[in-house]
């Protein structure tokens, strides 16, 4: 399936897209991922129809905003293959993804849907998570019946616990370790 980012844009459409992304980053940083898309359009100085033509859903907009971080997360993860065992690599990826999921207040709730928006970064993040899980399973560091969707559920739960419970982000590592202790091969 083609990614959203592969659609060629006219120069004015490209400028509008960048203004929408910049405005969305500001609005979501200030008010959370569930902030009004009308407010995003106003801040970008575009009509709401322009916003929806480029980003038909909130998740598509969030996916585009997350692209750079997810691409960097996936690329960074691949560099660890030679220096970390598969279980530790999966752990680091989960910690980074859980931390990323709290970049905007409320993003954690939508993480699973956002990762399915088919943007380049979302595809890279999902593919890397699946690759790491398979490596960890092959190395017998993780049980065979664990799926990537299981990991996403846990990452979402951890992110929500940190975001809504007022817990320090340093708890992410503790909570990931707690989960991984439960899914290790015995």
């Amino acid at each position: 399936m083609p990614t959203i980012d592969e659609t060629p844009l006219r120069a004015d459409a490209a400028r509008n897209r960048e203004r929408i992304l910049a405005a969305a980053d500001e609005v979501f940083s200030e008010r959370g991922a569930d902030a009004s898309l009308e407010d995003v359009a106003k801040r970008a100085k575009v009509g709401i129809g322009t916003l929806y033509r480029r980003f038909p859903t909130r998740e598509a907009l969030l996916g585009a905003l997350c692209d750079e971080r997810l691409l960097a997360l996936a690329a960074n993860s691949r560099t660890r293959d030679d220096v970390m065992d598969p279980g530790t690599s999966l752990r680091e990826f989960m910690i980074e993804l859980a931390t990323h999921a709290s970049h905007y207040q409320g993003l954690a709730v939508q993480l699973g849907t956002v990762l399915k928006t088919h943007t380049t970064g979302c595809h890279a993040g999902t593919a890397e998570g699946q690759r790491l899980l398979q490596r960890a399973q092959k190395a017998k560091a993780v049980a065979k019946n664990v799926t990537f969707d299981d990991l996403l559920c846990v990452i979402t739960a951890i992110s929500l616990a940190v975001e809504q419970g007022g817990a320090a982000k340093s708890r992410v590592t503790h909570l990931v370790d707690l989960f991984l202790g439960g899914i290790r091969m015995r």
Side-chain angles (χ1 to χ4, degrees), residues 6 16 18 31 40 42 52-53 55 72 75 78 81 84 88 92 131 135 137-138 141 154-155 163-164 174:
E6 292 176 318
N16 283 343
E18 291 308 312
R31 301 182 205 150
V40 172
K42 283 179 191 171
Y52 279 116
R53 266 191 304 281
F55 304 103
R78 286 188 298 277
D81 281 358
M84 287 185 184
T88 304
E92 290 302 310
R131 183 187 78 83
R135 282 185 70 226
Q137 288 171 326
K138 186 176 179 183
V154 170
I155 290 166
E163 178 182 290
Q164 294 178 352
H174 169 73

Side-chain angles (χ1 to χ4, degrees), residues 72-84 89 128 131:
L73 189 148
N76 184 44
S77 175
R78 286 188 298 277
T79 66
R80 294 191 289 250
D81 281 358
D82 294 333
V83 295
M84 287 185 184
S89 289
E128 182 61 9
R131 183 187 78 83

Side-chain angles (χ1 to χ4, degrees), residues 173-184:
T173 301
H174 169 73
L175 294 171
V176 167
D177 288 343
L178 190 64
F179 169 73
L180 288 173
I183 65 167
R184 282 201 176 93

